[in-house]
Amino acid sequence: MFPLLSLIIAALLACGLVHAETVIVPGATLTDTSGNVIQAHGGGILKVGSTYYWFGEDKATNSALFTAVSCYSSTDLVNWSRQENALTPISGTNISTSNIVERPKVIYNSKNDEYVMWFHSDTSDYGAAMVGVATASTPCGPYTYKSSWKPLGADSRDMGLYQDDDGTAYLLYASDNNQDFKITQLDANYYNVTTQVAQLTGATLEAPGIVKRNGVYYLIASHTSGWAPNPNKWFQADSLSGNWSSQADIAPENVRTYFSQNNYDLPLGSNAIYMGDRWRPELLGSSRYIWLPLSWSSGSPQLVWADVWSVDLSAGTYSVASGTTYEAESGTLGGNATILSDSSYSGGEAVGYLGDGGTVTLNDVQGNGQGQWVSLYYANADQTWRNVTVSVNGGATTLVDQPNTGGTDVILSVPVKLNLTSGSNTVTFGSSQSNYAGDLDKIIVYNVG
Ligand SMILES: *[C@@H]1O[C@H](CO)[C@@H](O)[C@H](O)[C@H]1NC(C)=O
Ligand SMILES: *[C@@H]1O[C@H](CO)[C@@H](O)[C@H](O)[C@H]1NC(C)=O
Ligand SMILES: *[C@@H]1O[C@H](CO)[C@@H](O)[C@H](O)[C@H]1NC(C)=O
Ligand SMILES: *[C@@H]1O[C@H](CO)[C@@H](O)[C@H](O)[C@H]1NC(C)=O
Ligand SMILES: *[C@@H]1O[C@H](CO)[C@@H](O)[C@H](O)[C@H]1NC(C)=O
Ligand SMILES: *[C@@H]1O[C@H](CO)[C@@H](O)[C@H](O)[C@H]1NC(C)=O
Ligand SMILES: CC(=O)N[C@H]1CO[C@H](CO)[C@@H](O)[C@@H]1O
């Protein structure tokens, strides 16, 4: 880079005018290089040269109705800059502002030197169950809408695309009122489907993605539970036409895919990156992204939980950051806060009854003075989300959302970036809130911000 340019970027970074990230933090509020919250839900990735394009649903209005398919670009999967919208509503068509456009996926057609976008195209009651197609001559478009229809006359709701090594492409979709899952080949233009190659009858699968590894196809998909998370599954086959193996979990069943639903699976060396959505139906634009390593180290694809991690794209590897653990039960309890015991808790104990006067203060938490990711491990057995306040050295509180974990013995973690001073800090949870927070098991402080 030119010295002057790096000086300018360093100056802009110092002024906070350019937003730079170095790590992947599942569940964090991701912002783009302009500092705006990334709106790219139900998304998909397209790689062109060394640039990645991330297409997704813009849900900034919190409505499920169509506002835009956004397009972001990055060369490192971490710093994303927003481009022109790839697709926007057209009144009087099936992609108007009163319709549904979900799960956009783009592949490149070398025959026509054209980018082709497929998406779930529907009416607001999800009754039409169609696919839509749009095309463009550049990665972000804007795309020209072609049409929406039912592939081979049957339903298509949650869908994905898979482009094989030989350029043959396939639609992966929940069909027949979400009962059957189908894989159907596209024509040479990628404008329509031609022949169905596989049907998993009665599989009730959605949110599909396929990665090929050593000649074997791996299908990753969720089951159907609306916006609520479920244990996503994997299947394998030597051919897209099958036989597909019976389903198996990609993560421990009780964590419900770490409260997420698959949207795309990006190959990374001999592993892959699982890209999922943490849907928040009552506040859709605040749905978060759960990106995790999908590792074959056990022989089958398994998610690796990582609070903070990074990728080396040229080496095709990932590394998971390690941090310093502070057990909640080692803290100073205030109000009605109580020690809870269960074998699922780290150290066998957690702190409950936080909020409504109950607090716990962790003492001597070591900081680096530069803003750091801290992960809160907690349980929330409610049907709904809780939240917890965090205060560093008695300062202002930050509110951290805590999705329901599915049981008092199911622990998840949520990230928060804290400004710890260099050296020793106190960190207090549950002050100044009248609602109950989740039960706090431990926190892990990372040396990276
Ligand atoms: C993101 O951009 C910043 C500023 O250019 C850079 O320092 C940082 O290394 C980038 N992140 C990654 C993961 O490359
Ligand atoms: C797709 O192909 C079918 C069967 O040939 C045809 O009936 C349908 O009109 C085509 N749809 C589009 C959008 O081209
Ligand atoms: C698929 O499974 C069926 C039933 O088990 C079996 O008859 C068939 O030979 C298998 N096909 C392949 C390609 O393995
Ligand atoms: C503890 O809980 C009881 C019962 O809910 C409540 O009346 C009391 O005010 C709480 N104490 C504190 C210190 O918050
Ligand atoms: C915090 O959680 C409570 C439920 O425990 C909820 O009523 C409240 O709206 C949440 N606050 C925010 C700002 O989301
Ligand atoms: C940490 O400091 C940054 C920069 O001053 C500020 O923008 C951010 O709000 C602070 N975060 C918290 C949790 O106080
Ligand atoms: C406005 C418009 O184009 N509506 C169409 C949307 O799709 C349904 C189902 O295919 C058609 O019946 C409508 O005409």
Side-chain angles (χ1 to χ4, degrees):
M1 196 185 286
F2 294 109
L4 182 60
L5 189 54
S6 25
L7 274 178
I8 293 171
I9 290 177
L12 291 173
L13 283 167
C15 303
L17 293 175
V18 169
H19 201 89
E21 302 288 344
T22 55
V23 287
I24 299 174
V25 183
T29 304
L30 295 193
T31 50
D32 63 21
T33 49
S34 302
N36 296 316
V37 174
I38 293 182
Q39 288 292 339
H41 309 281
I45 302 284
L46 167 74
K47 191 180 181 202
V48 181
S50 56
T51 303
Y52 295 87
Y53 294 91
W54 177 6
F55 299 87
E57 308 157 24
D58 186 329
K59 294 280 191 250
T61 63
N62 292 323
S63 161
L65 297 179
F66 183 39
T67 59
V69 172
S70 56
C71 184
Y72 293 83
S73 69
S74 174
T75 52
D76 56 27
L77 295 181
V78 169
N79 293 304
W80 291 97
S81 48
R82 189 159 186 164
Q83 310 295 324
E84 291 283 302
N85 285 329
L87 187 70
T88 48
I90 307 170
S91 63
T93 72
N94 270 305
I95 62 162
S96 76
T97 52
S98 52
N99 288 106
I100 297 288
V101 169
E102 290 179 351
R103 298 190 174 269
K105 306 286 180 275
V106 175
I107 50 178
Y108 174 68
N109 186 298
S110 55
K111 176 171 101 62
N112 299 334
D113 187 22
E114 188 174 56
Y115 298 91
V116 187
M117 178 191 294
W118 284 62
F119 52 89
H120 172 194
S121 180
D122 221 321
T123 42
S124 60
D125 63 358
Y126 291 90
M130 302 181 289
V131 280
V133 168
T135 60
S137 57
T138 54
C140 288
Y143 282 71
T144 304
Y145 175 57
K146 290 176 81 72
S147 60
S148 299
W149 77 102
K150 281 179 183 276
L152 302 179
D155 290 350
S156 178
R157 290 199 174 87
D158 269 15
M159 45 65 68
L161 290 180
Y162 177 68
Q163 190 176 32
D164 211 341
D165 310 327
D166 64 359
T168 314
Y170 301 84
L171 176 67
L172 324 171
Y173 56 115
S175 190
D176 306 335
N177 202 22
N178 287 353
Q179 293 307 297
D180 303 328
F181 180 76
K182 296 175 182 174
I183 302 177
T184 298
Q185 193 176 322
L186 306 192
D187 65 19
N189 293 323
Y190 303 167
Y191 295 162
N192 200 346
V193 291
T194 55
T195 41
Q196 184 175 307
V197 301
Q199 173 166 325
L200 281 70
T201 304
T204 63
L205 297 178
E206 58 181 14
I210 284 181
V211 288
K212 192 179 189 175
R213 186 176 177 279
N214 298 337
V216 178
Y217 298 89
Y218 292 89
L219 165 68
I220 313 291
S222 77
H223 275 290
T224 50
S225 51
W227 299 105
N230 60 60
N232 288 202
K233 307 293 181 182
W234 66 271
F235 305 77
Q236 76 174 64
D238 294 331
S239 155
L240 288 171
S241 58
N243 289 342
W244 288 96
S245 61
S246 55
Q247 66 177 22
D249 290 308
I250 63 169
E253 216 164 87
N254 67 353
V255 300
R256 296 175 304 166
T257 328
Y258 302 104
F259 204 113
S260 72
Q261 181 182 37
N262 186 57
N263 62 47
Y264 194 79
D265 306 284
L266 181 71
L268 175 72
S270 58
N271 295 303
I273 301 177
Y274 163 89
M275 297 177 168
D277 294 292
R278 175 171 284 174
W279 296 112
R280 190 171 186 183
E282 73 286 359
L283 209 58
L284 272 178
S286 294
S287 299
R288 303 293 174 223
Y289 311 103
I290 303 293
W291 290 7
L292 291 169
L294 187 61
S295 167
W296 270 260
S297 62
S298 67
S300 65
Q302 292 294 307
L303 291 185
V304 176
W305 176 258
D307 288 326
V308 175
W309 62 291
S310 55
V311 288
D312 181 335
L313 291 168
S314 49
T317 55
Y318 66 88
S319 66
V320 177
S322 57
T324 305
T325 298
Y326 299 87
E327 294 289 345
E329 63 271 22
S330 319
T332 307
L333 306 188
N336 284 340
T338 311
I339 303 275
L340 308 173
S341 297
D342 192 283
S343 59
S344 60
Y345 301 137
S346 165
E349 291 180 330
V351 175
Y353 295 93
L354 294 173
D356 193 25
T359 60
V360 61
T361 297
L362 304 188
N363 302 295
D364 202 19
V365 175
Q366 294 297 310
N368 67 14
Q370 291 170 13
Q372 291 168 261
W373 286 110
V374 176
S375 288
L376 316 184
Y377 282 72
Y378 72 98
N380 167 12
D382 291 354
Q383 296 297 312
T384 53
W385 292 33
R386 292 191 184 190
N387 45 58
V388 65
T389 61
V390 187
S391 161
V392 175
N393 299 322
T397 58
T398 301
L399 196 66
V400 185
D401 292 318
Q402 298 175 308
N404 46 309
T405 57
T408 51
D409 58 348
V410 184
I411 314 296
L412 293 178
S413 78
V414 283
V416 58
K417 201 184 260 191
L418 295 181
N419 295 323
L420 301 173
T421 59
S422 179
S424 184
N425 296 263
T426 63
V427 184
T428 301
F429 298 90
S431 64
S432 320
Q433 69 179 116
S434 52
N435 57 299
Y436 280 122
D439 301 329
L440 190 66
D441 183 11
K442 65 179 181 185
I443 69 169
I444 302 182
V445 177
Y446 293 91
N447 214 7
V448 56

Tab-separated table of all heavy atoms in Angstrom, residues 174-207:
chain	number	residue	atom	x	y	z
A	174	ALA	N	-36.930	-26.677	-0.039
A	174	ALA	CA	-38.015	-27.285	0.729
A	174	ALA	C	-39.255	-27.224	-0.143
A	174	ALA	O	-39.663	-26.149	-0.570
A	174	ALA	CB	-38.233	-26.511	2.026
A	175	SER	N	-39.854	-28.375	-0.415
A	175	SER	CA	-40.987	-28.418	-1.338
A	175	SER	C	-42.175	-29.138	-0.699
A	175	SER	O	-42.090	-29.603	0.438
A	175	SER	CB	-40.555	-29.121	-2.639
A	175	SER	OG	-41.542	-28.980	-3.630
A	176	ASP	N	-43.264	-29.207	-1.453
A	176	ASP	CA	-44.462	-29.944	-1.031
A	176	ASP	C	-44.854	-29.571	0.402
A	176	ASP	O	-44.870	-30.421	1.302
A	176	ASP	CB	-44.246	-31.459	-1.184
A	176	ASP	CG	-43.797	-31.829	-2.599
A	176	ASP	OD1	-44.103	-31.054	-3.542
A	176	ASP	OD2	-43.126	-32.860	-2.767
A	177	ASN	N	-45.137	-28.290	0.585
A	177	ASN	CA	-45.523	-27.753	1.901
A	177	ASN	C	-44.474	-28.081	2.964
A	177	ASN	O	-44.787	-28.384	4.117
A	177	ASN	CB	-46.908	-28.262	2.308
A	177	ASN	CG	-47.559	-27.369	3.334
A	177	ASN	OD1	-47.203	-26.185	3.451
A	177	ASN	ND2	-48.490	-27.908	4.100
A	178	ASN	N	-43.190	-27.952	2.569
A	178	ASN	CA	-42.025	-28.165	3.443
A	178	ASN	C	-41.846	-29.614	3.877
A	178	ASN	O	-41.002	-29.892	4.739
A	178	ASN	CB	-42.061	-27.260	4.690
A	178	ASN	CG	-41.757	-25.812	4.359
A	178	ASN	OD1	-41.389	-25.489	3.225
A	178	ASN	ND2	-41.895	-24.941	5.326
A	179	GLN	N	-42.605	-30.548	3.305
A	179	GLN	CA	-42.463	-31.956	3.698
A	179	GLN	C	-41.261	-32.598	3.026
A	179	GLN	O	-40.488	-33.311	3.658
A	179	GLN	CB	-43.742	-32.737	3.340
A	179	GLN	CG	-44.945	-32.306	4.143
A	179	GLN	CD	-44.670	-32.342	5.646
A	179	GLN	OE1	-44.401	-33.397	6.214
A	179	GLN	NE2	-44.706	-31.181	6.287
A	180	ASP	N	-41.098	-32.362	1.716
A	180	ASP	CA	-40.041	-33.013	0.947
A	180	ASP	C	-38.927	-32.022	0.649
A	180	ASP	O	-39.182	-30.848	0.387
A	180	ASP	CB	-40.601	-33.553	-0.371
A	180	ASP	CG	-41.745	-34.522	-0.144
A	180	ASP	OD1	-41.717	-35.230	0.882
A	180	ASP	OD2	-42.677	-34.550	-0.976
A	181	PHE	N	-37.711	-32.537	0.661
A	181	PHE	CA	-36.567	-31.709	0.293
A	181	PHE	C	-36.061	-32.190	-1.061
A	181	PHE	O	-35.880	-33.384	-1.275
A	181	PHE	CB	-35.462	-31.821	1.351
A	181	PHE	CG	-34.273	-30.988	1.009
A	181	PHE	CD1	-34.308	-29.613	1.186
A	181	PHE	CD2	-33.135	-31.562	0.454
A	181	PHE	CE1	-33.219	-28.835	0.844
A	181	PHE	CE2	-32.046	-30.785	0.106
A	181	PHE	CZ	-32.090	-29.416	0.295
A	182	LYS	N	-35.849	-31.245	-1.989
A	182	LYS	CA	-35.510	-31.623	-3.365
A	182	LYS	C	-34.235	-30.954	-3.855
A	182	LYS	O	-33.900	-29.841	-3.443
A	182	LYS	CB	-36.661	-31.233	-4.314
A	182	LYS	CG	-37.956	-31.972	-4.025
A	182	LYS	CD	-39.085	-31.465	-4.907
A	182	LYS	CE	-40.390	-32.186	-4.561
A	182	LYS	NZ	-41.538	-31.615	-5.298
A	183	ILE	N	-33.555	-31.664	-4.729
A	183	ILE	CA	-32.394	-31.131	-5.436
A	183	ILE	C	-32.703	-31.256	-6.915
A	183	ILE	O	-32.965	-32.356	-7.412
A	183	ILE	CB	-31.113	-31.913	-5.077
A	183	ILE	CG1	-30.873	-31.852	-3.561
A	183	ILE	CG2	-29.916	-31.373	-5.849
A	183	ILE	CD1	-29.667	-32.654	-3.094
A	184	THR	N	-32.713	-30.115	-7.623
A	184	THR	CA	-33.128	-30.109	-9.029
A	184	THR	C	-32.102	-29.339	-9.850
A	184	THR	O	-31.662	-28.257	-9.456
A	184	THR	CB	-34.544	-29.492	-9.143
A	184	THR	OG1	-35.447	-30.315	-8.404
A	184	THR	CG2	-35.015	-29.417	-10.567
A	185	GLN	N	-31.723	-29.932	-10.970
A	185	GLN	CA	-30.674	-29.340	-11.816
A	185	GLN	C	-31.183	-28.101	-12.555
A	185	GLN	O	-32.349	-28.038	-12.947
A	185	GLN	CB	-30.196	-30.393	-12.821
A	185	GLN	CG	-28.913	-29.995	-13.535
A	185	GLN	CD	-28.408	-31.101	-14.445
A	185	GLN	OE1	-28.505	-32.280	-14.097
A	185	GLN	NE2	-27.881	-30.719	-15.595
A	186	LEU	N	-30.285	-27.117	-12.727
A	186	LEU	CA	-30.633	-25.918	-13.488
A	186	LEU	C	-30.246	-26.110	-14.961
A	186	LEU	O	-29.363	-26.916	-15.281
A	186	LEU	CB	-29.900	-24.684	-12.951
A	186	LEU	CG	-30.028	-24.342	-11.469
A	186	LEU	CD1	-29.473	-22.934	-11.224
A	186	LEU	CD2	-31.461	-24.438	-10.980
A	187	ASP	N	-30.853	-25.324	-15.823
A	187	ASP	CA	-30.477	-25.352	-17.243
A	187	ASP	C	-29.122	-24.648	-17.421
A	187	ASP	O	-28.575	-24.068	-16.472
A	187	ASP	CB	-31.578	-24.730	-18.113
A	187	ASP	CG	-31.782	-23.245	-17.850
A	187	ASP	OD1	-30.880	-22.580	-17.289
A	187	ASP	OD2	-32.863	-22.732	-18.204
A	188	ALA	N	-28.584	-24.686	-18.631
A	188	ALA	CA	-27.232	-24.171	-18.871
A	188	ALA	C	-27.138	-22.670	-18.635
A	188	ALA	O	-26.063	-22.133	-18.363
A	188	ALA	CB	-26.793	-24.518	-20.291
A	189	ASN	N	-28.260	-21.935	-18.728
A	189	ASN	CA	-28.265	-20.489	-18.462
A	189	ASN	C	-28.451	-20.172	-16.980
A	189	ASN	O	-28.308	-19.019	-16.583
A	189	ASN	CB	-29.410	-19.815	-19.224
A	189	ASN	CG	-29.207	-19.870	-20.722
A	189	ASN	OD1	-28.077	-19.753	-21.207
A	189	ASN	ND2	-30.295	-20.073	-21.460
A	190	TYR	N	-28.842	-21.148	-16.186
A	190	TYR	CA	-29.232	-20.980	-14.774
A	190	TYR	C	-30.505	-20.124	-14.651
A	190	TYR	O	-30.698	-19.425	-13.654
A	190	TYR	CB	-28.120	-20.321	-13.932
A	190	TYR	CG	-26.769	-21.005	-13.901
A	190	TYR	CD1	-25.663	-20.330	-13.393
A	190	TYR	CD2	-26.597	-22.322	-14.314
A	190	TYR	CE1	-24.415	-20.935	-13.330
A	190	TYR	CE2	-25.349	-22.930	-14.266
A	190	TYR	CZ	-24.256	-22.229	-13.773
A	190	TYR	OH	-23.021	-22.819	-13.700
A	191	TYR	N	-31.370	-20.193	-15.655
A	191	TYR	CA	-32.615	-19.417	-15.613
A	191	TYR	C	-33.802	-20.234	-15.107
A	191	TYR	O	-34.827	-19.675	-14.722
A	191	TYR	CB	-32.991	-18.896	-17.009
A	191	TYR	CG	-32.036	-17.894	-17.623
A	191	TYR	CD1	-32.080	-17.647	-19.001
A	191	TYR	CD2	-31.116	-17.182	-16.853
A	191	TYR	CE1	-31.227	-16.722	-19.587
A	191	TYR	CE2	-30.259	-16.273	-17.439
A	191	TYR	CZ	-30.304	-16.041	-18.803
A	191	TYR	OH	-29.462	-15.130	-19.389
A	192	ASN	N	-33.695	-21.565	-15.195
A	192	ASN	CA	-34.840	-22.419	-14.887
A	192	ASN	C	-34.305	-23.751	-14.378
A	192	ASN	O	-33.108	-24.022	-14.461
A	192	ASN	CB	-35.685	-22.624	-16.166
A	192	ASN	CG	-37.117	-23.072	-15.871
A	192	ASN	OD1	-37.444	-23.475	-14.752
A	192	ASN	ND2	-37.961	-23.018	-16.899
A	193	VAL	N	-35.206	-24.537	-13.825
A	193	VAL	CA	-34.824	-25.899	-13.447
A	193	VAL	C	-35.161	-26.848	-14.590
A	193	VAL	O	-36.045	-26.557	-15.413
A	193	VAL	CB	-35.554	-26.351	-12.157
A	193	VAL	CG1	-35.041	-25.569	-10.949
A	193	VAL	CG2	-37.063	-26.206	-12.306
A	194	THR	N	-34.457	-27.971	-14.659
A	194	THR	CA	-34.743	-28.965	-15.700
A	194	THR	C	-35.226	-30.259	-15.063
A	194	THR	O	-36.421	-30.526	-15.069
A	194	THR	CB	-33.510	-29.217	-16.585
A	194	THR	OG1	-32.412	-29.577	-15.759
A	194	THR	CG2	-33.170	-27.973	-17.396
A	195	THR	N	-34.309	-31.029	-14.436
A	195	THR	CA	-34.704	-32.337	-13.910
A	195	THR	C	-34.378	-32.460	-12.425
A	195	THR	O	-33.312	-32.041	-11.969
A	195	THR	CB	-33.957	-33.473	-14.636
A	195	THR	OG1	-32.595	-33.055	-14.811
A	195	THR	CG2	-34.572	-33.789	-15.967
A	196	GLN	N	-35.302	-33.051	-11.701
A	196	GLN	CA	-35.078	-33.318	-10.283
A	196	GLN	C	-34.092	-34.475	-10.160
A	196	GLN	O	-34.271	-35.506	-10.813
A	196	GLN	CB	-36.416	-33.671	-9.632
A	196	GLN	CG	-36.328	-33.874	-8.137
A	196	GLN	CD	-37.698	-34.097	-7.541
A	196	GLN	OE1	-38.608	-33.291	-7.760
A	196	GLN	NE2	-37.856	-35.170	-6.804
A	197	VAL	N	-33.034	-34.299	-9.338
A	197	VAL	CA	-32.052	-35.381	-9.193
A	197	VAL	C	-32.206	-36.122	-7.877
A	197	VAL	O	-31.758	-37.251	-7.742
A	197	VAL	CB	-30.591	-34.881	-9.363
A	197	VAL	CG1	-30.388	-34.248	-10.727
A	197	VAL	CG2	-30.199	-33.924	-8.258
A	198	ALA	N	-32.804	-35.485	-6.866
A	198	ALA	CA	-32.984	-36.187	-5.585
A	198	ALA	C	-34.184	-35.628	-4.852
A	198	ALA	O	-34.540	-34.451	-5.004
A	198	ALA	CB	-31.743	-36.039	-4.704
A	199	GLN	N	-34.825	-36.491	-4.074
A	199	GLN	CA	-35.914	-36.060	-3.201
A	199	GLN	C	-35.779	-36.800	-1.888
A	199	GLN	O	-35.727	-38.034	-1.873
A	199	GLN	CB	-37.273	-36.348	-3.844
A	199	GLN	CG	-38.433	-36.067	-2.888
A	199	GLN	CD	-39.783	-36.005	-3.592
A	199	GLN	OE1	-39.876	-35.545	-4.724
A	199	GLN	NE2	-40.818	-36.473	-2.917
A	200	LEU	N	-35.685	-36.040	-0.781
A	200	LEU	CA	-35.679	-36.641	0.554
A	200	LEU	C	-37.107	-36.515	1.065
A	200	LEU	O	-37.505	-35.477	1.612
A	200	LEU	CB	-34.672	-35.939	1.464
A	200	LEU	CG	-33.193	-36.338	1.283
A	200	LEU	CD1	-32.617	-35.832	-0.028
A	200	LEU	CD2	-32.350	-35.794	2.436
A	201	THR	N	-37.867	-37.558	0.831
A	201	THR	CA	-39.298	-37.531	1.109
A	201	THR	C	-39.571	-37.463	2.608
A	201	THR	O	-38.978	-38.217	3.380
A	201	THR	CB	-39.963	-38.784	0.495
A	201	THR	OG1	-39.655	-38.800	-0.902
A	201	THR	CG2	-41.474	-38.765	0.677
A	202	GLY	N	-40.421	-36.519	2.975
A	202	GLY	CA	-40.810	-36.387	4.383
A	202	GLY	C	-39.693	-35.905	5.284
A	202	GLY	O	-39.765	-36.034	6.512
A	203	ALA	N	-38.638	-35.311	4.694
A	203	ALA	CA	-37.458	-34.940	5.489
A	203	ALA	C	-37.673	-33.660	6.300
A	203	ALA	O	-36.954	-33.414	7.265
A	203	ALA	CB	-36.258	-34.767	4.584
A	204	THR	N	-38.649	-32.842	5.931
A	204	THR	CA	-38.932	-31.542	6.577
A	204	THR	C	-37.655	-30.733	6.815
A	204	THR	O	-37.390	-30.275	7.917
A	204	THR	CB	-39.706	-31.696	7.902
A	204	THR	OG1	-38.907	-32.423	8.838
A	204	THR	CG2	-41.039	-32.393	7.692
A	205	LEU	N	-36.886	-30.546	5.749
A	205	LEU	CA	-35.641	-29.784	5.849
A	205	LEU	C	-35.787	-28.419	5.212
A	205	LEU	O	-36.532	-28.252	4.238
A	205	LEU	CB	-34.508	-30.523	5.133
A	205	LEU	CG	-34.124	-31.885	5.693
A	205	LEU	CD1	-33.035	-32.502	4.836
A	205	LEU	CD2	-33.675	-31.756	7.145
A	206	GLU	N	-35.048	-27.448	5.725
A	206	GLU	CA	-34.967	-26.141	5.084
A	206	GLU	C	-33.587	-25.547	5.343
A	206	GLU	O	-32.725	-26.181	5.940
A	206	GLU	CB	-36.105	-25.222	5.548
A	206	GLU	CG	-36.157	-24.982	7.023
A	206	GLU	CD	-37.327	-24.087	7.441
A	206	GLU	OE1	-38.247	-23.858	6.634
A	206	GLU	OE2	-37.299	-23.616	8.584
A	207	ALA	N	-33.374	-24.313	4.865
A	207	ALA	CA	-32.109	-23.596	5.070
A	207	ALA	C	-30.890	-24.404	4.619
A	207	ALA	O	-29.932	-24.571	5.371
A	207	ALA	CB	-31.978	-23.197	6.542
